Amino acid sequence: MAALAVTPTSVKVARVDESGVTQADSAEILQCDAVVIAVERPALAAIGGAEGSVGTERGCASTALYFAIDGPPPVSEPILVLNGDVGPALQPGPPVVNNICFPSSISPSYAPSGKSLASVTVVGDPEVDDAQLEAAVRTQLAGWFGESVHTWRFLRIYRVPYAQPSQSGACVPFQQSTRLASGLYRCGDHTSAPTLNGAMESGRLAAEAVLEDLRARGIGA
């Protein structure tokens, strides 16, 4: 049997189907024995040949803010600190912190020597500008860790419109098939539980399906 080979590419895709991958820029078709589409649900729907695939279309936004701290973090343990007092009845007003962690407590290489990195998550994409959101986050964190929070240096903010598939309402069932068509597969948290574990599991299931189908066709060991 022929040996399996994986070819990494870096092209914009216009369409995928049984004939291969059609590049958006040149219309050239890359011939493949198998194609795994590992993208979020909105991107999957935008690719020709995959637009009819089912999946969780509604998504949840998330906003991440990063701060540099001089010295050690206020929490030395490598844990995720959750906000147990969220909700309009408990905390009316501007959007606030959902959780915070200090990645440099896990890996010191995430921050320069003598400094720490703080990663803050706010659920959703608040309708305030970056400066207002930063101020609201600092105010809340100062209540947790003290006024030293106001000395933290703001690094960057990321607003992610589709951070993960929605888990509310009448969503489609988890563990959807990874096979879209002959030689065409998908993976991502929209096909499984919308978590990091679900995303990794979907990748494993896609790989297993590819190997099973290729070997049934006499390709690979």
Side-chain angles (χ1 to χ4, degrees):
M1 295 183 182
L4 293 176
V6 177
T7 303
T9 63
S10 176
V11 298
K12 183 178 292 186
V13 174
R15 182 176 182 82
V16 288
D17 53 34
E18 297 178 25
S19 63
V21 179
T22 303
Q23 299 183 47
D25 297 334
S26 65
E28 177 186 354
I29 297 178
L30 300 176
Q31 300 293 334
C32 310
D33 293 311
V35 177
V36 178
I37 309 175
V39 297
E40 62 186 19
R41 181 61 182 87
L44 179 68
I47 297 175
E51 60 271 73
S53 61
V54 297
T56 304
E57 295 190 32
R58 292 181 293 118
C60 297
S62 182
T63 302
L65 299 91
Y66 291 88
F67 297 87
I69 304 172
D70 289 328
V75 177
S76 59
E77 296 90 344
I79 60 175
L80 184 71
V81 181
L82 299 175
N83 182 359
D85 295 325
V86 295
L90 295 171
Q91 287 188 341
V96 289
V97 173
N98 178 267
N99 63 72
I100 182 173
C101 65
F102 304 94
S104 52
S105 295
I106 301 173
S107 175
S109 64
Y110 289 166
S113 177
K115 296 184 181 296
S116 303
L117 176 65
S119 172
V120 180
T121 298
V122 174
V123 173
D125 185 2
E127 294 182 357
V128 294
D129 63 31
D130 292 355
Q132 290 174 306
L133 182 57
E134 178 195 344
V137 165
R138 284 187 188 272
T139 297
Q140 184 178 15
L141 292 180
W144 295 7
F145 304 122
E147 291 302 311
S148 63
V149 168
H150 294 292
T151 68
W152 295 4
R153 181 166 60 88
F154 175 69
L155 297 174
R156 192 165 296 180
I157 184 171
Y158 295 94
R159 297 177 184 260
V160 184
Y162 193 98
Q164 68 176 52
S166 173
Q167 302 177 63
S168 62
C171 296
V172 294
F174 294 158
Q175 300 299 346
Q176 299 174 60
S177 174
T178 189
R179 293 177 173 90
L180 292 177
S182 177
L184 184 59
Y185 310 81
R186 62 174 176 172
C187 64
D189 55 6
H190 52 89
T191 68
S192 183
T195 63
L196 291 175
N197 286 344
M200 292 188 290
E201 180 186 36
S202 75
R204 176 178 59 79
L205 294 175
E208 291 174 351
V210 169
L211 290 174
E212 178 182 349
D213 294 351
L214 289 180
R215 285 166 179 162
R217 294 160 52 190
I219 302 174

